[in-house]
Coordinates of all heavy atoms in Angstrom, one line a residue:
E1 N 91.4 -45.7 156.4 CA 92.7 -46.4 156.0 C 93.0 -47.4 157.0 O 93.1 -47.2 158.2 CB 93.8 -45.3 155.9 CG 95.1 -45.8 155.3 CD 95.1 -45.8 153.8 OE1 94.4 -45.0 153.2 OE2 95.9 -46.6 153.3
A2 N 93.3 -48.6 156.4 CA 93.7 -49.7 157.3 C 95.1 -49.6 157.8 O 96.0 -49.1 157.2 CB 93.5 -51.0 156.5
L3 N 95.3 -50.2 158.9 CA 96.7 -50.3 159.5 C 97.4 -51.5 158.9 O 97.6 -52.5 159.5 CB 96.6 -50.5 161.0 CG 96.1 -49.3 161.8 CD1 95.9 -49.6 163.2 CD2 97.0 -48.1 161.7
V4 N 97.8 -51.4 157.6 CA 98.4 -52.5 156.8 C 99.9 -52.6 157.0 O 100.4 -53.6 156.6 CB 98.0 -52.4 155.3 CG1 96.5 -52.5 155.2 CG2 98.5 -51.1 154.7
D5 N 100.5 -51.6 157.6 CA 101.9 -51.6 157.6 C 102.5 -52.2 158.9 O 103.6 -52.0 159.3 CB 102.4 -50.1 157.4 CG 103.8 -50.0 157.0 OD1 104.4 -51.1 156.6 OD2 104.4 -48.9 157.1
G6 N 101.7 -52.9 159.7 CA 102.2 -53.5 160.9 C 102.5 -52.6 162.0 O 101.8 -51.7 162.3
A7 N 103.7 -52.8 162.5 CA 104.2 -52.0 163.7 C 104.5 -50.5 163.3 O 104.4 -49.7 164.2 CB 105.4 -52.6 164.3
G8 N 104.8 -50.2 162.1 CA 105.1 -48.8 161.7 C 104.1 -47.8 162.1 O 104.4 -46.8 162.8
P9 N 102.8 -48.0 161.8 CA 101.8 -47.1 162.2 C 101.6 -47.0 163.7 O 101.3 -45.9 164.2 CB 100.5 -47.5 161.5 CG 101.0 -48.4 160.4 CD 102.3 -49.0 160.8
I10 N 101.7 -48.1 164.3 CA 101.5 -48.1 165.8 C 102.6 -47.4 166.5 O 102.3 -46.5 167.4 CB 101.4 -49.6 166.3 CG1 100.1 -50.2 165.7 CG2 101.4 -49.6 167.8 CD1 100.0 -51.7 166.0
Q11 N 103.8 -47.6 166.1 CA 105.0 -46.9 166.7 C 104.8 -45.4 166.4 O 105.1 -44.5 167.2 CB 106.3 -47.4 166.1 CG 106.6 -48.8 166.6 CD 107.8 -49.4 166.0 OE1 108.2 -49.0 164.9 NE2 108.4 -50.4 166.6
A12 N 104.4 -45.0 165.1 CA 104.2 -43.6 164.8 C 103.1 -43.0 165.6 O 103.2 -41.9 166.1 CB 103.9 -43.5 163.3
A13 N 102.0 -43.7 165.8 CA 100.9 -43.2 166.6 C 101.4 -43.0 168.1 O 101.0 -41.9 168.6 CB 99.7 -44.2 166.6
L14 N 102.1 -43.9 168.6 CA 102.6 -43.6 170.0 C 103.5 -42.4 170.0 O 103.5 -41.7 171.0 CB 103.3 -44.9 170.5 CG 102.4 -46.1 170.6 CD1 103.2 -47.4 171.0 CD2 101.3 -45.9 171.6
A15 N 104.3 -42.2 169.0 CA 105.2 -41.1 168.9 C 104.4 -39.8 168.8 O 104.9 -38.7 169.3 CB 106.2 -41.2 167.7
C16 N 103.2 -39.8 168.3 CA 102.3 -38.7 168.1 C 101.4 -38.6 169.3 O 100.4 -37.8 169.3 CB 101.5 -38.8 166.8 SG 102.5 -38.6 165.3
D17 N 101.6 -39.4 170.3 CA 100.7 -39.4 171.5 C 99.3 -39.7 171.2 O 98.3 -39.2 171.9 CB 100.8 -38.0 172.2 CG 102.2 -37.7 172.8 OD1 102.8 -38.7 173.3 OD2 102.6 -36.6 172.8
V18 N 99.0 -40.6 170.3 CA 97.7 -41.1 170.0 C 97.4 -42.2 171.0 O 98.2 -43.2 171.0 CB 97.5 -41.6 168.5 CG1 96.1 -42.1 168.3 CG2 97.8 -40.5 167.5
P19 N 96.3 -42.1 171.7 CA 96.0 -43.2 172.7 C 95.8 -44.5 171.9 O 95.3 -44.5 170.8 CB 94.7 -42.8 173.4 CG 94.7 -41.3 173.2 CD 95.4 -41.0 171.9
L20 N 96.2 -45.7 172.5 CA 96.1 -47.0 171.9 C 94.7 -47.3 171.4 O 94.5 -47.8 170.3 CB 96.5 -48.1 172.8 CG 98.0 -48.3 173.0 CD1 98.3 -49.3 174.1 CD2 98.7 -48.7 171.7
D21 N 93.7 -46.9 172.1 CA 92.3 -47.2 171.8 C 91.8 -46.3 170.6 O 90.7 -46.5 170.2 CB 91.4 -47.2 173.0 CG 91.3 -45.8 173.6 OD1 92.2 -45.0 173.5 OD2 90.3 -45.6 174.3
Q22 N 92.6 -45.3 170.2 CA 92.1 -44.4 169.2 C 93.0 -44.5 167.9 O 92.7 -43.8 166.9 CB 92.2 -42.9 169.7 CG 91.2 -42.7 170.8 CD 91.2 -41.3 171.3 OE1 92.0 -40.4 170.9 NE2 90.4 -40.9 172.2
I23 N 94.0 -45.4 167.9 CA 94.9 -45.4 166.7 C 94.1 -45.8 165.4 O 94.3 -45.1 164.4 CB 96.0 -46.4 167.0 CG1 96.9 -45.9 168.1 CG2 96.8 -46.7 165.7 CD1 98.0 -46.9 168.5
E24 N 93.3 -46.8 165.5 CA 92.6 -47.2 164.2 C 91.7 -46.1 163.7 O 91.6 -45.8 162.5 CB 91.8 -48.4 164.5 CG 91.2 -49.0 163.2 CD 90.7 -50.4 163.3 OE1 90.7 -51.0 164.5 OE2 90.1 -50.9 162.4
E25 N 91.0 -45.4 164.6 CA 90.1 -44.3 164.2 C 90.9 -43.1 163.7 O 90.4 -42.4 162.7 CB 89.2 -43.9 165.4 CG 88.2 -42.8 165.0 CD 87.4 -42.4 166.2 OE1 87.5 -43.0 167.3 OE2 86.6 -41.4 166.1
A26 N 92.0 -42.8 164.3 CA 92.8 -41.6 163.9 C 93.6 -41.8 162.7 O 94.0 -40.8 162.0 CB 93.7 -41.2 165.1
Y27 N 94.0 -43.0 162.4 CA 95.0 -43.3 161.3 C 94.4 -42.9 159.9 O 93.3 -43.3 159.6 CB 95.4 -44.8 161.3 CG 96.5 -45.0 160.4 CD1 97.8 -44.5 160.6 CD2 96.4 -45.9 159.3 CE1 98.9 -44.7 159.7 CE2 97.5 -46.1 158.4 CZ 98.7 -45.6 158.7 OH 99.8 -45.8 157.8
Q28 N 95.2 -42.1 159.2 CA 94.8 -41.6 157.9 C 95.6 -42.2 156.7 O 95.2 -42.0 155.6 CB 94.9 -40.1 157.8 CG 94.1 -39.4 158.9 CD 92.6 -39.6 158.7 OE1 92.0 -39.3 157.6 NE2 91.9 -40.2 159.7
G29 N 96.7 -42.9 157.0 CA 97.5 -43.5 156.0 C 98.9 -43.0 156.0 O 99.3 -42.2 156.8
K30 N 99.7 -43.5 155.0 CA 101.1 -43.2 154.9 C 101.2 -42.3 153.6 O 100.7 -42.7 152.5 CB 101.9 -44.4 154.8 CG 103.4 -44.2 154.8 CD 104.2 -45.5 155.0 CE 105.6 -45.3 154.8 NZ 106.3 -44.7 155.9
Y31 N 101.9 -41.2 153.7 CA 102.1 -40.3 152.6 C 103.6 -39.9 152.6 O 104.3 -39.9 153.6 CB 101.2 -39.1 152.7 CG 99.8 -39.5 152.6 CD1 99.1 -39.8 153.8 CD2 99.1 -39.6 151.4 CE1 97.7 -40.2 153.7 CE2 97.8 -40.0 151.4 CZ 97.1 -40.3 152.5 OH 95.8 -40.7 152.5
N32 N 104.1 -39.4 151.4 CA 105.4 -38.9 151.3 C 105.7 -37.6 151.9 O 106.8 -37.2 152.2 CB 105.9 -38.9 149.8 CG 106.0 -40.4 149.3 OD1 106.4 -41.3 150.0 ND2 105.6 -40.5 148.0
S33 N 104.6 -36.8 152.0 CA 104.8 -35.4 152.5 C 103.4 -34.8 153.0 O 102.4 -35.4 152.6 CB 105.4 -34.5 151.4 OG 104.4 -34.3 150.4
D34 N 103.5 -33.7 153.7 CA 102.3 -33.1 154.1 C 101.5 -32.6 152.9 O 100.3 -32.6 152.9 CB 102.6 -31.8 155.0 CG 103.2 -32.2 156.4 OD1 103.2 -33.4 156.7 OD2 103.6 -31.3 157.1
K35 N 102.3 -32.2 151.9 CA 101.7 -31.7 150.6 C 100.9 -32.8 150.0 O 99.7 -32.6 149.5 CB 102.8 -31.2 149.7 CG 102.5 -30.1 148.9 CD 103.7 -29.4 148.4 CE 104.0 -29.7 146.9 NZ 105.1 -29.0 146.3
D36 N 101.5 -34.0 149.9 CA 100.8 -35.2 149.3 C 99.5 -35.5 150.1 O 98.5 -35.8 149.5 CB 101.7 -36.4 149.2 CG 102.8 -36.3 148.2 OD1 102.7 -35.4 147.3 OD2 103.7 -37.1 148.2
F37 N 99.7 -35.5 151.4 CA 98.5 -35.8 152.3 C 97.4 -34.8 152.0 O 96.2 -35.1 151.9 CB 99.0 -35.8 153.7 CG 97.9 -35.9 154.7 CD1 97.0 -37.0 154.7 CD2 97.6 -34.9 155.7 CE1 96.0 -37.2 155.6 CE2 96.6 -35.1 156.6 CZ 95.8 -36.2 156.6
A38 N 97.7 -33.5 152.0 CA 96.7 -32.4 151.8 C 96.0 -32.6 150.4 O 94.8 -32.5 150.3 CB 97.3 -31.0 151.8
G39 N 96.8 -32.9 149.4 CA 96.2 -33.2 148.0 C 95.3 -34.3 148.0 O 94.2 -34.3 147.5
Q40 N 95.7 -35.4 148.7 CA 94.8 -36.6 148.7 C 93.5 -36.3 149.5 O 92.5 -36.8 149.2 CB 95.6 -37.8 149.3 CG 94.8 -39.1 149.2 CD 94.4 -39.5 147.8 OE1 95.3 -39.6 147.0 NE2 93.2 -39.7 147.5
M41 N 93.7 -35.6 150.6 CA 92.5 -35.3 151.5 C 91.6 -34.4 150.7 O 90.3 -34.7 150.7 CB 93.0 -34.5 152.7 CG 91.9 -34.1 153.6 SD 91.1 -35.5 154.5 CE 92.3 -35.9 155.6
A42 N 92.0 -33.5 149.9 CA 91.2 -32.6 149.1 C 90.4 -33.5 148.0 O 89.2 -33.3 147.8 CB 92.0 -31.5 148.4
Q43 N 91.1 -34.4 147.4 CA 90.5 -35.3 146.5 C 89.4 -36.2 147.1 O 88.3 -36.3 146.6 CB 91.5 -36.2 145.8 CG 92.2 -35.5 144.7 CD 93.1 -36.5 143.9 OE1 93.8 -37.3 144.4 NE2 93.1 -36.3 142.6
D44 N 89.8 -36.8 148.3 CA 88.8 -37.6 149.0 C 87.6 -36.9 149.4 O 86.5 -37.5 149.5 CB 89.5 -38.2 150.2 CG 90.6 -39.2 149.9 OD1 90.7 -39.6 148.7 OD2 91.3 -39.6 150.8
L45 N 87.7 -35.6 149.7 CA 86.6 -34.8 150.1 C 85.8 -34.3 149.0 O 84.7 -33.6 149.1 CB 87.0 -33.6 151.0 CG 87.6 -34.0 152.4 CD1 88.2 -32.8 153.1 CD2 86.5 -34.7 153.2
G46 N 86.2 -34.5 147.8 CA 85.6 -34.1 146.6 C 85.8 -32.6 146.2 O 85.2 -32.0 145.4
S47 N 86.8 -32.0 146.9 CA 87.2 -30.6 146.6 C 87.9 -30.4 145.3 O 87.9 -29.4 144.8 CB 88.0 -30.1 147.8 OG 87.3 -30.2 149.0
I48 N 88.6 -31.5 144.9 CA 89.4 -31.4 143.7 C 88.9 -32.5 142.7 O 88.9 -33.7 143.1 CB 90.9 -31.7 144.0 CG1 91.4 -30.7 145.0 CG2 91.7 -31.7 142.7 CD1 91.5 -29.3 144.5
K49 N 88.4 -32.1 141.6 CA 87.9 -33.0 140.6 C 89.0 -33.5 139.6 O 88.9 -34.6 139.2 CB 86.8 -32.4 139.8 CG 85.6 -31.9 140.7 CD 84.9 -33.0 141.4 CE 83.7 -32.4 142.1 NZ 83.4 -32.9 143.3
D50 N 89.9 -32.6 139.3 CA 91.0 -33.0 138.4 C 92.2 -32.1 138.7 O 92.1 -31.2 139.6 CB 90.6 -32.9 137.0 CG 90.0 -31.5 136.6 OD1 90.6 -30.5 137.1 OD2 89.1 -31.5 135.8
H51 N 93.2 -32.2 137.9 CA 94.5 -31.4 138.2 C 94.6 -30.4 137.1 O 95.7 -29.9 136.8 CB 95.7 -32.4 138.2 CG 95.7 -33.3 139.4 ND1 95.9 -32.8 140.7 CD2 95.4 -34.6 139.5 CE1 95.8 -33.8 141.5 NE2 95.5 -34.9 140.8
S52 N 93.5 -29.9 136.5 CA 93.6 -28.8 135.6 C 93.3 -27.5 136.3 O 93.0 -27.4 137.5 CB 92.5 -29.0 134.5 OG 91.2 -29.0 135.0
W53 N 93.5 -26.4 135.5 CA 93.3 -25.1 136.1 C 91.9 -25.0 136.6 O 90.9 -25.5 136.0 CB 93.5 -24.0 135.0 CG 93.4 -22.6 135.5 CD1 94.4 -21.9 136.1 CD2 92.3 -21.8 135.6 NE1 94.0 -20.7 136.5 CE2 92.6 -20.6 136.2 CE3 90.9 -22.0 135.3 CZ2 91.7 -19.6 136.5 CZ3 90.0 -21.0 135.6 CH2 90.4 -19.8 136.1
P54 N 91.6 -24.3 137.7 CA 92.5 -23.6 138.6 C 93.1 -24.5 139.7 O 93.9 -24.1 140.5 CB 91.6 -22.6 139.3 CG 90.3 -23.2 139.4 CD 90.2 -24.1 138.2
N55 N 92.7 -25.8 139.7 CA 93.2 -26.7 140.8 C 94.7 -26.9 140.8 O 95.3 -27.1 141.8 CB 92.6 -28.1 140.6 CG 91.1 -28.0 140.8 OD1 90.6 -27.2 141.6 ND2 90.3 -28.8 140.1
N56 N 95.4 -26.7 139.6 CA 96.8 -26.9 139.5 C 97.5 -25.6 140.0 O 98.7 -25.5 140.0 CB 97.3 -27.3 138.2 CG 96.9 -26.3 137.1 OD1 96.2 -25.3 137.3 ND2 97.4 -26.5 135.9
C57 N 96.8 -24.6 140.4 CA 97.3 -23.3 140.9 C 97.3 -23.2 142.5 O 97.6 -22.2 143.0 CB 96.6 -22.1 140.3 SG 96.7 -22.1 138.5
I58 N 96.8 -24.3 143.1 CA 96.7 -24.2 144.6 C 98.0 -24.3 145.2 O 98.9 -25.0 144.8 CB 95.8 -25.4 145.0 CG1 94.4 -25.3 144.5 CG2 95.8 -25.5 146.6 CD1 93.5 -26.5 144.8
D59 N 98.2 -23.4 146.2 CA 99.4 -23.4 147.0 C 99.3 -24.6 148.0 O 98.8 -24.4 149.1 CB 99.6 -22.1 147.7 CG 100.9 -22.0 148.6 OD1 101.5 -23.0 148.8 OD2 101.2 -20.9 149.0
W60 N 99.8 -25.8 147.6 CA 99.7 -27.0 148.4 C 100.5 -26.9 149.7 O 100.2 -27.5 150.7 CB 100.0 -28.2 147.6 CG 98.8 -28.5 146.7 CD1 98.8 -28.4 145.3 CD2 97.5 -28.9 147.0 NE1 97.6 -28.7 144.8 CE2 96.8 -29.0 145.8 CE3 96.9 -29.2 148.2 CZ2 95.5 -29.4 145.8 CZ3 95.6 -29.6 148.2 CH2 94.9 -29.7 147.0
D61 N 101.6 -26.1 149.7 CA 102.4 -26.0 150.9 C 101.6 -25.3 152.0 O 101.6 -25.7 153.1 CB 103.7 -25.2 150.6 CG 104.7 -26.0 149.8 OD1 104.9 -27.2 150.1 OD2 105.3 -25.4 148.9
Y62 N 100.9 -24.2 151.5 CA 100.0 -23.5 152.5 C 98.8 -24.3 152.9 O 98.5 -24.3 154.1 CB 99.6 -22.1 151.9 CG 98.8 -21.3 152.8 CD1 99.4 -20.7 153.9 CD2 97.4 -21.2 152.7 CE1 98.7 -19.9 154.8 CE2 96.7 -20.4 153.6 CZ 97.3 -19.8 154.6 OH 96.6 -19.0 155.5
A63 N 98.2 -25.0 152.0 CA 97.1 -25.9 152.3 C 97.5 -26.9 153.3 O 96.8 -27.2 154.3 CB 96.5 -26.5 151.0
A64 N 98.7 -27.5 153.1 CA 99.2 -28.6 154.0 C 99.4 -28.0 155.4 O 99.1 -28.6 156.4 CB 100.4 -29.2 153.4
K65 N 100.0 -26.8 155.4 CA 100.3 -26.2 156.7 C 99.0 -26.0 157.5 O 99.0 -26.2 158.7 CB 101.0 -24.8 156.5 CG 101.3 -24.1 157.8 CD 101.9 -22.7 157.4 CE 102.1 -21.9 158.7 NZ 102.3 -20.5 158.5
E66 N 98.0 -25.5 156.9 CA 96.7 -25.2 157.5 C 96.1 -26.6 158.0 O 95.5 -26.7 159.1 CB 95.7 -24.5 156.6 CG 96.1 -23.1 156.3 CD 95.9 -22.2 157.5 OE1 94.8 -22.2 158.1 OE2 96.9 -21.5 157.9
L67 N 96.1 -27.6 157.1 CA 95.5 -28.9 157.4 C 96.2 -29.5 158.6 O 95.6 -30.2 159.5 CB 95.6 -29.8 156.2 CG 95.0 -31.2 156.3 CD1 93.5 -31.1 156.5 CD2 95.4 -32.0 155.1
M68 N 97.5 -29.3 158.7 CA 98.3 -30.0 159.8 C 98.0 -29.5 161.2 O 98.4 -30.1 162.2 CB 99.8 -30.0 159.5 CG 100.2 -30.8 158.3 SD 99.6 -32.5 158.3 CE 100.5 -33.2 159.7
Y69 N 97.2 -28.4 161.3 CA 96.7 -28.0 162.7 C 95.8 -29.1 163.3 O 95.7 -29.2 164.5 CB 96.0 -26.7 162.6 CG 96.9 -25.5 162.4 CD1 96.8 -24.8 161.2 CD2 97.8 -25.1 163.4 CE1 97.6 -23.7 161.0 CE2 98.7 -24.1 163.2 CZ 98.6 -23.3 162.0 OH 99.4 -22.2 161.8
D70 N 95.2 -29.9 162.4 CA 94.3 -30.9 162.9 C 94.8 -32.3 162.8 O 94.0 -33.3 163.0 CB 93.0 -30.8 162.1 CG 92.2 -29.5 162.4 OD1 92.3 -29.0 163.5 OD2 91.7 -28.9 161.4
Y71 N 96.0 -32.5 162.3 CA 96.6 -33.8 162.1 C 98.0 -33.9 162.7 O 98.7 -32.8 162.8 CB 96.6 -34.1 160.6 CG 95.3 -34.3 160.0 CD1 94.5 -33.2 159.6 CD2 94.7 -35.6 160.0 CE1 93.2 -33.4 159.2 CE2 93.4 -35.7 159.5 CZ 92.7 -34.6 159.1 OH 91.4 -34.8 158.6
S72 N 98.5 -35.1 162.9 CA 99.9 -35.3 163.4 C 100.5 -36.3 162.4 O 99.8 -37.1 161.8 CB 99.9 -35.9 164.8 OG 99.3 -35.1 165.7
E73 N 101.8 -36.2 162.3 CA 102.6 -37.1 161.4 C 103.9 -37.6 162.1 O 104.5 -36.8 162.8 CB 102.9 -36.3 160.1 CG 103.7 -37.1 159.1 CD 105.2 -37.0 159.3 OE1 105.7 -36.1 159.9 OE2 105.9 -38.0 158.9
H74 N 104.2 -38.8 161.8 CA 105.5 -39.3 162.2 C 105.9 -40.4 161.2 O 105.1 -41.3 160.9 CB 105.4 -40.0 163.6 CG 106.7 -40.4 164.2 ND1 107.7 -39.6 164.7 CD2 107.2 -41.7 164.2 CE1 108.7 -40.3 165.0 NE2 108.5 -41.6 164.8
N75 N 107.1 -40.2 160.7 CA 107.7 -41.2 159.7 C 106.7 -41.4 158.5 O 106.5 -42.6 158.1 CB 108.1 -42.5 160.3 CG 109.3 -42.4 161.2 OD1 110.1 -41.4 161.0 ND2 109.5 -43.3 162.1
G76 N 106.0 -40.4 158.1 CA 105.1 -40.5 157.0 C 103.7 -41.1 157.3 O 102.8 -41.2 156.4
H77 N 103.4 -41.4 158.5 CA 102.1 -41.9 159.0 C 101.3 -40.7 159.6 O 101.8 -40.0 160.4 CB 102.3 -43.0 160.0 CG 102.9 -44.2 159.5 ND1 102.3 -45.1 158.8 CD2 104.2 -44.6 159.7 CE1 103.1 -46.1 158.4 NE2 104.3 -45.8 159.0
Y78 N 100.1 -40.6 159.1 CA 99.3 -39.4 159.4 C 98.1 -39.8 160.3 O 97.5 -40.9 160.0 CB 98.8 -38.7 158.2 CG 99.9 -37.9 157.5 CD1 100.9 -38.6 156.8 CD2 100.0 -36.6 157.7 CE1 101.9 -37.9 156.2 CE2 101.0 -35.8 157.1 CZ 102.0 -36.5 156.4 OH 103.0 -35.8 155.8
F79 N 97.8 -39.0 161.3 CA 96.8 -39.3 162.3 C 95.9 -38.0 162.5 O 96.5 -36.9 162.6 CB 97.3 -39.7 163.6 CG 98.2 -40.9 163.5 CD1 99.6 -40.8 163.2 CD2 97.7 -42.2 163.7 CE1 100.4 -41.9 163.1 CE2 98.5 -43.3 163.5 CZ 99.8 -43.2 163.3
R80 N 94.6 -38.2 162.5 CA 93.7 -37.1 162.8 C 93.7 -36.9 164.3 O 93.7 -37.8 165.1 CB 92.3 -37.5 162.4 CG 91.3 -36.4 162.6 CD 90.0 -36.7 161.9 NE 89.4 -38.0 162.2 CZ 88.5 -38.3 163.0 NH1 87.9 -37.3 163.7 NH2 88.1 -39.5 163.2
N81 N 93.8 -35.6 164.7 CA 93.8 -35.3 166.2 C 92.4 -35.4 166.6 O 91.5 -34.7 166.2 CB 94.3 -33.9 166.4 CG 95.8 -33.7 166.0 OD1 96.5 -34.7 166.0 ND2 96.1 -32.5 165.7
L82 N 92.1 -36.4 167.5 CA 90.7 -36.6 168.0 C 90.5 -35.8 169.3 O 91.3 -35.5 170.0 CB 90.5 -38.1 168.3 CG 90.7 -39.0 167.0 CD1 90.6 -40.5 167.4 CD2 89.7 -38.7 166.0

């Protein structure tokens, strides 16, 4: 994901203690919630093919909670913990 939002992602990265030289590699994008981030990550990894059963039964709150052990977020900007 490109750093297209200017200073927003950089300020968020610094708030998440991401070293300056790792911001571009760690940046995952901007999302409205941990749940949205988890859903997009699952789609990007090919884990979710569509939003029909049983995929629409996933507890996205729990999935997001588990995923966030490896990611940081500030003001909607998400970063992989390197």
Side-chain angles (χ1 to χ4, degrees):
E1 184 82 27
L3 294 171
V4 296
D5 200 14
I10 294 169
Q11 291 172 341
L14 296 175
C16 291
D17 295 324
V18 177
L20 282 174
D21 64 337
Q22 295 179 358
I23 292 174
E24 190 170 355
E25 181 181 355
Y27 190 62
Q28 301 296 303
K30 185 170 171 77
Y31 298 89
N32 292 324
S33 67
D34 292 354
K35 214 162 105 169
D36 289 346
F37 175 59
Q40 186 62 53
M41 179 69 72
Q43 281 188 317
D44 291 349
L45 293 172
S47 300
I48 303 294
K49 304 291 186 220
D50 58 39
H51 293 289
S52 62
W53 184 89
N55 296 327
N56 62 352
C57 300
I58 294 172
D59 181 348
W60 287 109
D61 288 318
Y62 183 73
K65 178 183 173 196
E66 291 290 305
L67 182 66
M68 292 308 293
Y69 286 114
D70 296 320
Y71 293 84
S72 300
E73 179 273 336
H74 184 77
N75 288 337
H77 296 282
Y78 286 76
F79 302 88
R80 183 168 49 100
N81 298 334
L82 301 175

